Amino acid sequence: MTQRYGAGIWHFATYVDRYATDGYGEPRTILDAIALAGQVPDLSVVDLNYPFFGGDFSNEQIGAGLEQAGLDVIGITPEIYTRVFAKGSFTNPDPGVRRLAHELCTEAAGVVRHFGADYVKLWPGQDGWDYPFQVDHGALWKNSLDGVGQLAQENPDLKFVIEYKPREPRVHMSFDSVARTLLGIEKIGLPNVGILLDFGHALFGGESPADAAQLAIDYGRLFGMDVNDNLRGWDDDMIAGSVHPIELFEFFHVLRRNGWEGVWQLDQFPFREDSVQAATWAIDFLKRVERGLDRLDMDALAQAQARHDAVAAGRIAQDALFGVD
């Protein structure tokens, strides 16, 4: 099987932050971003924000842009984290806003069907709390699960993936870790709800990404993944492999050992870098990871791990990843 590589289309957008409020480049539409994504060698699929940014575009217009760029769609990410959802999407205290979030996700489900994508990706970044005593934790968690569960029940033909993260924009997000997200999914109890595991979110949350992946796989809930990098103190969304190459290698080792097959996807925010070059560098490194996995002495590694021999296991992994291609 030939490994497929993907990226969130936001990788090719331009960004603002609270300092450079005028942005780090000229604004781009989603069609501009799709055209740039098409310039990246080996990139074959993209995750699209919904509503489509930069203009009023139809599915047909987006489809034409994708065809010209030679790209398919893996997922649709409804923007349930914008200003109207400042106090939450599924957990908003206003039932009208909760309905709005449901309607937006339902529209996104229709877009998934239109493009034959794999899933609706749910990143409820505003769901959570900021201060002690701000929320009734039981009610908040129930609303989180009810919101996802209703969507999954109404759309049994589609997959819904939850991308967890410890914090930002909320000080504490409702789906904050692999364990808590798995507990919620098991409580929902539907087969079409799973996890999209973001490598950088696991790092940021103090998890081992490899261990988080194994846990999600053990429960049959790893439906998707994406990679980036950070310095562990924040969700920096840096270029994959630029800071934690060995942990990234272990993460993909766990995926291969368990027979997990899916797109290796980038979730990067190259604020100051050329977006095409940043994606190309990341995918080139992921291809090195592939070759390293092919070289990895699995029997010797299993023996070292059975002894909990960190030195031997580390040498085996380093030789495989950094050996001469």
Side-chain angles (χ1 to χ4, degrees):
M1 170 184 162
T2 301
Q3 182 59 53
R4 291 193 301 160
Y5 300 100
I9 199 61
W10 49 90
H11 180 288
F12 303 96
T14 53
Y15 316 105
V16 301
D17 61 25
R18 62 191 181 123
Y19 300 102
T21 56
D22 54 342
Y24 285 87
E26 293 301 316
R28 293 174 185 154
T29 70
I30 192 168
L31 292 178
D32 296 330
I34 288 170
L36 284 173
Q39 298 178 26
V40 179
D42 300 304
L43 188 69
S44 60
V45 297
V46 287
D47 182 335
L48 302 179
N49 306 89
Y50 182 81
F52 306 127
F53 59 84
D56 185 15
F57 301 111
S58 67
N59 288 341
E60 289 70 25
Q61 287 174 301
I62 299 298
L66 290 165
E67 184 176 5
Q68 186 170 0
L71 298 169
D72 292 319
V73 180
I74 184 172
I76 300 295
T77 300
E79 294 191 336
I80 54 173
Y81 40 79
T82 53
R83 182 171 59 184
V84 69
F85 302 112
K87 286 192 174 182
S89 52
F90 302 130
T91 66
N92 198 288
D94 183 341
V97 177
R98 295 201 298 271
R99 282 194 300 272
L100 184 62
H102 180 80
E103 291 166 2
L104 182 57
C105 292
T106 300
E107 288 179 23
V111 181
V112 167
R113 293 187 183 97
H114 177 86
F115 288 111
D118 290 2
Y119 50 70
V120 178
K121 188 180 80 180
L122 302 174
W123 184 66
Q126 301 285 7
D127 284 4
W129 65 93
D130 306 308
Y131 293 94
F133 285 99
Q134 184 176 6
V135 301
D136 176 331
H137 292 287
L140 187 95
W141 187 231
K142 182 177 185 303
N143 282 341
S144 289
L145 304 187
D146 287 350
V148 176
Q150 183 182 358
L151 287 165
Q153 189 171 42
E154 291 174 357
N155 301 275
D157 58 315
L158 298 182
K159 291 180 179 179
F160 291 83
V161 299
I162 301 170
E163 182 178 4
Y164 71 85
K165 182 178 176 180
R167 60 177 298 181
E168 193 212 10
R170 292 315 287 255
V171 172
H172 195 115
M173 284 176 55
S174 187
F175 291 106
D176 69 346
S177 63
V178 67
R180 184 177 175 90
T181 306
L182 283 172
L183 282 171
I185 291 171
E186 293 306 302
K187 183 74 170 178
I188 292 169
L190 295 172
N192 57 330
V193 183
I195 284 178
L196 185 139
L197 203 165
D198 182 296
F199 180 85
H201 292 179
L203 288 177
F204 177 30
E207 297 175 341
S208 156
D211 175 63
Q214 184 66 63
L215 193 61
I217 289 170
D218 286 345
Y219 280 84
R221 299 292 186 174
L222 186 61
F223 289 4
M225 50 75 61
D226 53 38
V227 292
N228 43 51
D229 218 327
N230 62 51
L231 298 176
R232 269 198 154 92
W234 196 249
D235 182 34
D236 302 302
D237 283 325
M238 297 163 68
I239 296 170
S242 60
V243 184
H244 294 98
I246 283 291
E247 285 179 274
L248 189 71
F249 189 45
E250 184 191 24
F251 175 75
F252 282 111
H253 162 65
V254 166
L255 298 186
R256 177 175 285 196
R257 187 182 62 193
N258 285 275
W260 189 90
E261 295 181 351
V263 171
W264 291 11
Q265 182 158 276
L266 306 177
D267 182 3
Q268 303 178 159
F269 278 69
F271 280 78
R272 300 165 184 83
E273 292 72 38
D274 179 279
S275 59
V276 172
Q277 291 180 12
T280 302
W281 179 24
I283 290 176
D284 285 347
F285 183 75
L286 295 185
K287 292 166 74 174
R288 171 175 280 275
V289 167
E290 271 197 277
R291 295 191 295 270
L293 292 172
D294 291 339
R295 285 193 296 260
L296 190 61
D297 189 332
M298 298 292 287
D299 291 338
L301 180 62
Q303 293 172 20
Q305 289 180 333
R307 302 190 305 271
H308 292 197
D309 188 335
V311 173
R315 284 187 181 277
I316 291 165
Q318 285 184 336
D319 286 348
L321 179 59
F322 297 122
V324 176
D325 289 330

